[in-house]
Amino acid sequence: MRLLKLYFGFERLISHLLLVGMVGVVLLAAWSFFRATALALFDLGHPLDYSAFQTLFDRVLAAIIALELAHSIHQMALGDHRLAQVRTVVVIGMLAVVRKLILLEVDSTSGAFLVGLAATILALGLVLLMIGHLQKRDERERQSANQISADEKADA
């Protein structure tokens, strides 16, 4: 038991250190997005081509992924090891796949790679549905337990 407490303390310390590092990553990702946006806005003489939009979406998704990862690390630092943390990790995976799809050059991509991406999206979507189902079930059980507890207090 003492060893387990030591491990959880170690895990929290590392999580806090990672969270400090993630603040830097989020700031860099946001700076990169704002810089790319400003460059696109101030280049008024030229219409935006598809690669400029790809760059903007890539940068904004990188910032969102960094924020989601920081959120997951924050949950770990708080000692929250429930389905919400697993859900956050799955959402990060989905964002990463969407980012890959946006940057994808279809002309130079094999069919097998596209099938792999489709399978990944399907698998992550199914996992997200399962997590949602488990969270709803847990919430119903908690509400039921609270109702039973309230009924027992009223009877006493």
Side-chain angles (χ1 to χ4, degrees):
M1 192 62 149
R2 180 171 158 77
L3 187 60
L4 193 58
K5 275 185 163 181
L6 256 162
Y7 172 75
F8 283 131
F10 172 75
E11 185 180 82
R12 282 184 152 174
L13 173 69
I14 297 299
S15 298
H16 281 92
L17 292 173
L18 287 172
L19 193 55
V20 170
M22 281 306 300
V23 168
V25 172
V26 168
L27 289 173
L28 287 172
W31 170 254
S32 178
F33 169 70
F34 291 128
R35 184 173 167 265
T37 303
L39 289 173
L41 284 174
F42 292 121
D43 191 17
L44 298 176
H46 299 87
L48 283 177
D49 59 346
Y50 183 69
S51 65
F53 279 114
Q54 276 184 315
T55 300
L56 289 174
F57 281 115
D58 173 48
R59 303 288 164 77
V60 76
L61 284 172
I64 291 170
I65 289 169
L67 282 170
E68 284 295 326
L69 188 55
H71 180 70
S72 178
I73 292 170
H74 182 252
Q75 287 175 323
M76 189 185 312
L78 293 175
D80 187 12
H81 296 285
R82 290 182 282 170
L83 285 175
Q85 189 176 10
V86 176
R87 180 184 167 95
T88 302
V89 171
V90 172
V91 168
I92 291 168
M94 292 180 92
L95 287 169
V97 172
V98 167
R99 182 175 180 227
K100 184 67 178 172
L101 282 172
I102 288 173
L103 297 175
L104 192 67
E105 294 294 333
V106 179
D107 297 340
S108 60
T109 304
S110 71
F113 185 78
L114 292 174
V115 169
L117 276 179
T120 302
I121 291 168
L122 181 63
L124 287 170
L126 289 173
V127 169
L128 198 58
L129 280 173
M130 289 180 358
I131 290 170
H133 175 72
L134 290 173
Q135 284 178 323
K136 286 178 186 175
R137 188 189 71 189
D138 287 350
E139 184 61 31
R140 283 193 305 266
E141 288 174 0
R142 243 183 264 117
Q143 286 176 351
S144 176
N146 288 342
Q147 183 63 37
I148 291 170
S149 176
D151 291 345
E152 288 173 354
K153 286 181 182 178
D155 289 342

